[in-house]
Amino acid sequence: MTAVGSKCRVCKGPAVIDLPRHNAKFCAEHLQQLCRRQMAKAIEDFDMLSPADRILVAVSGGKDSLAVWDMLIEAGYQADGLYIGLGIGEYSTDSGGYVQRFADERGLHLVTIDLRDEYGYDVPTAARATGRVPCSACGLSKRRLFDQAALDGGYDVVVTGHNLDDEAAVLFGNTLRWDIDYLARQMPVLPAANGFPKKVKPLIRLTEREMAAWCLVRGIDYVVEECPIAAGNRHLSYKESLNAVEAKSPGAKASFYLGFLERMAPLLAGKSAAAAGDLNECERCGSPTTGEVCAFCRLVEKSSAHEPVPVEMVLTRGRRR
Amino acid sequence: MKVLLRNPRREVEFDGPRSVDRLLDELQLSREAHLVIRNGTLVPGDAVLGDDDQIEVRPVISGGA
């Protein structure tokens, strides 16, 4: 039983979702149309992709990365997937299974890298060995491996599934600290530089709720459970705060982030260390770094020499963050 | 109705009829951070849930950035 009035704004058929920021409800078909249009607008506005690009999509098994891979393939792009086994216990095993099934069912090419097998460490061990919070060790590892895999495979561009909520939360954190360097770099396109591939975020105009709904109406199975060591992190608390604002002022998150890109980012152009040319080459791997050895090489050195740390050992630490 | 919640995964019982929005309010869950699935189909906030429905309240927030 569905209440009277719950109709799609476009076709007047039964709605499956209400999107207060659009002051409208949509059926499954027109929700997909909205998502396609929003992604296409982001790609066009920021010159993210061209039809000839060979694309590598970083996929985690979560809704956003599987959704963006699905949307790009549907839109006719040539996109392969990259999955990194992070060694976060059963969570990683399950996540990898979702990614593999997604690729197999659609006949898509999936590149898989296992941190433990190929670099001699995993995320729990890296967190303990370096004293970094787990999300920091994870993010640093993933960013480098995305770059390396793209270079090794001859890809033109790396796509990540960062959505509007992700970017608004990062912007919120950077703004709270007035971190000008990070603010100046928080763009949805990182151009190819220093031998690294271009990186783009086609989902910046779409919320995580919209991406989860995309997966549901498209029949995409994804890992719903939260990463056990991300629980309680600062990023999640920023999202909760922004959602509290959004509940009172629908559209606030989009206004905050997209307004930043339109009106504030141009004022910050050239303010980051990278733009100012204040970077050296890592003496081990040649990557750009502010020191002599880059953060990733330091992390690998410490983590691979450390005794493996089971995921349970970093759970409390993760929640405290 | 049986309501499946996540993180941690658990099941709770509610009486029907009640709307999706009312269910989320009573669970003190943000509409912006959840989707509600009735008998396998996504439903909007004003959908009315009945006693015999199987409901899943699915969180949509993920922690990575």
Side-chain angles (χ1 to χ4, degrees):
Chain A
M1 179 167 54
T2 302
V4 174
S6 190
K7 293 180 178 174
C8 172
R9 179 170 78 181
V10 181
C11 68
K12 311 304 176 196
V16 298
I17 191 168
D18 38 358
L19 300 180
R21 76 186 183 109
H22 293 292
N23 191 27
K25 297 170 183 146
F26 295 95
C27 68
E29 181 184 339
H30 290 109
L31 168 71
Q32 291 176 71
Q33 181 187 72
L34 174 96
C35 292
R36 291 183 191 109
R37 287 177 175 173
Q38 293 292 332
M39 185 183 79
K41 179 166 173 52
I43 290 171
E44 183 181 348
D45 285 354
F46 293 95
D47 193 19
M48 291 184 179
L49 301 170
S50 71
D53 281 340
R54 285 194 67 226
I55 298 167
L56 187 62
V57 183
V59 282
S60 65
K63 64 190 187 310
D64 304 301
S65 57
L66 292 181
V68 76
W69 196 7
D70 184 46
M71 293 170 79
L72 289 172
I73 292 293
E74 192 204 30
Y77 289 99
Q78 310 168 57
D80 295 341
L82 167 65
Y83 174 77
I84 298 174
L86 299 164
I88 307 175
E90 284 183 22
Y91 179 75
S92 286
T93 307
D94 292 347
S95 302
Y98 282 103
V99 174
Q100 191 66 60
R101 283 191 293 279
F102 179 92
D104 289 347
E105 287 166 8
R106 292 159 180 80
L108 301 175
H109 179 59
L110 177 66
V111 178
T112 299
I113 296 172
D114 187 87
L115 268 185
R116 172 60 65 188
D117 290 347
E118 299 189 32
Y119 289 85
Y121 75 95
D122 50 44
V123 166
T125 304
R128 178 58 56 90
T130 63
R132 285 174 175 264
V133 290
C135 296
S136 166
C138 182
L140 174 60
S141 302
K142 287 193 293 190
R143 284 190 294 276
R144 172 56 65 85
L145 269 55
F146 295 162
D147 286 339
Q148 195 60 52
L151 288 177
D152 292 347
Y155 292 94
D156 300 298
V157 57
V158 173
V159 162
T160 58
H162 292 96
N163 57 45
L164 175 59
D165 292 77
D166 294 324
E167 295 304 298
V170 171
L171 177 61
F172 190 50
N174 290 340
T175 303
L176 285 175
R177 296 187 301 279
W178 290 118
D179 192 324
I180 298 300
D181 193 58
Y182 280 7
L183 284 167
R185 282 188 280 155
Q186 203 193 327
M187 297 300 290
V189 174
L190 288 178
N194 302 302
F196 287 120
K198 181 178 177 179
K199 282 186 268 193
V200 304
K201 302 173 181 177
L203 301 185
I204 55 162
R205 300 185 61 86
L206 289 156
T207 66
E208 13 197 18
R209 189 163 173 268
E210 290 154 9
M211 288 299 84
W214 171 277
C215 288
L216 281 167
V217 302
R218 299 273 295 176
I220 297 171
D221 272 337
Y222 63 90
V223 61
V224 175
E225 277 67 33
E226 180 57 275
C227 172
I229 51 179
N233 78 13
R234 193 184 303 136
H235 191 74
L236 284 170
S237 73
Y238 292 159
K239 286 185 173 180
E240 288 169 8
S241 300
L242 288 169
N243 277 340
V245 175
E246 183 79 15
K248 299 284 186 187
S249 302
K253 287 185 293 193
S255 177
F256 180 51
Y257 177 63
L258 299 177
F260 164 80
L261 291 181
E262 184 182 333
R263 297 190 291 281
M264 191 66 207
L267 302 180
L268 294 170
K271 303 286 188 190
S272 71
D278 294 341
L279 297 177
N280 309 310
E281 281 190 1
C282 171
E283 62 185 33
R284 294 183 194 167
C285 72
S287 300
T289 176
T290 52
E292 294 177 354
V293 178
C294 74
F296 179 71
C297 285
R298 295 197 306 270
L299 179 143
V300 172
E301 182 179 46
K302 284 186 178 176
S303 306
S304 59
H306 197 284
E307 190 174 326
V309 174
V311 64
E312 293 77 14
M313 296 288 286
V314 295
L315 290 181
T316 305
R317 191 187 182 94
R319 290 197 179 102
R320 238 189 357 244
R321 184 183 163 195
Chain B
M1 70 188 81
K2 285 185 166 55
V3 180
L4 172 65
L5 302 170
R6 305 279 197 145
N7 294 331
R9 190 184 179 99
R10 60 207 186 278
E11 197 169 82
V12 294
E13 284 272 356
F14 277 90
D15 291 331
R18 68 183 66 213
S19 72
V20 164
D21 283 343
R22 189 177 150 208
L23 176 68
L24 291 176
D25 285 346
E26 290 180 20
L27 290 165
Q28 297 185 299
L29 296 174
S30 162
R31 286 173 63 189
E32 190 63 21
H34 296 84
L35 291 173
V36 174
I37 302 161
R38 178 180 59 194
N39 304 326
T41 302
L42 187 60
V43 285
D46 61 359
V48 177
L49 311 172
D51 280 334
D52 296 331
D53 287 333
Q54 291 277 346
I55 307 299
E56 179 187 344
V57 178
R58 184 174 292 197
V60 300
I61 292 188
S62 47

